[in-house]
Amino acid sequence: MSDCLFCKIVAKEIPAEIVYETGRTLAFRDVNPQAPTHVLIIPKQHHATAAALADVDDGLADEVLKAAHSVAVLEHVADSGYRVVFNTGLGAGQTVFHVHAHVLGGRDLTWPPG
Ligand code: 5GP
Ligand code: ZN
């Protein structure tokens, strides 16, 4: 998708601080971090939302979740605890319509979220 911000990050047309990469996923730091660790994990293939990703039957959603956990380990938040969030749809606060998992950690995280 030529007008998609995260596709442009995959294509290296926009810079990002990449922290982890697999054949089909990419993880990079959020430009506006909400916690000491705030990394976004995306499939390199464009899917708009988590709902669309859930409809893909080739294991891609699994890979995104596994990549999220790998990032948590690399960022040393796996033991202390971390949160994986897919804002899905406008009402949930999704602003970039290329599915991404937020991995947040490194501080106490309150519940329920706002
Ligand atoms: P959403 O609101 O869709 O769940 O999350 C989008 C996230 O993308 C936000 O946390 C926002 O800070 C982040 N973001 C927006 N533009 C950029 C960018 O150009 N680079 C990076 N690294 N993060 C971005
Ligand atoms: Zn995209």
Side-chain angles (χ1 to χ4, degrees):
M1 290 251 313
S2 57
D3 61 344
C4 170
L5 178 65
F6 288 174
C7 282
K8 287 179 179 167
I9 287 177
V10 172
K12 305 284 194 304
E13 292 169 17
I14 291 176
E17 189 182 340
I18 293 168
V19 297
Y20 184 73
E21 184 169 9
T22 67
R24 296 203 292 173
T25 71
L26 188 68
F28 51 91
R29 293 197 194 284
D30 196 293
V31 76
N32 182 24
Q34 302 301 311
T37 290
H38 188 173
V39 175
L40 304 176
I41 293 88
I42 64 170
K44 292 178 181 176
Q45 189 177 66
H46 182 90
H47 298 282
T49 66
L53 180 62
D55 279 340
V56 179
D57 284 327
D58 64 359
L60 188 56
D62 293 14
E63 284 184 39
V64 170
L65 182 59
K66 287 178 189 297
H69 180 62
S70 295
V71 165
V73 171
L74 285 170
E75 293 284 311
H76 308 291
V77 297
D79 290 338
S80 54
Y82 63 96
R83 190 167 290 165
V84 182
V85 176
F86 289 92
N87 294 326
T88 305
L90 289 172
Q94 185 174 1
T95 58
V96 177
F97 281 79
H98 180 134
V99 60
H100 48 281
H102 297 255
V103 169
L104 297 145
R107 65 168 171 81
D108 288 336
L109 298 166
T110 58
W111 192 263

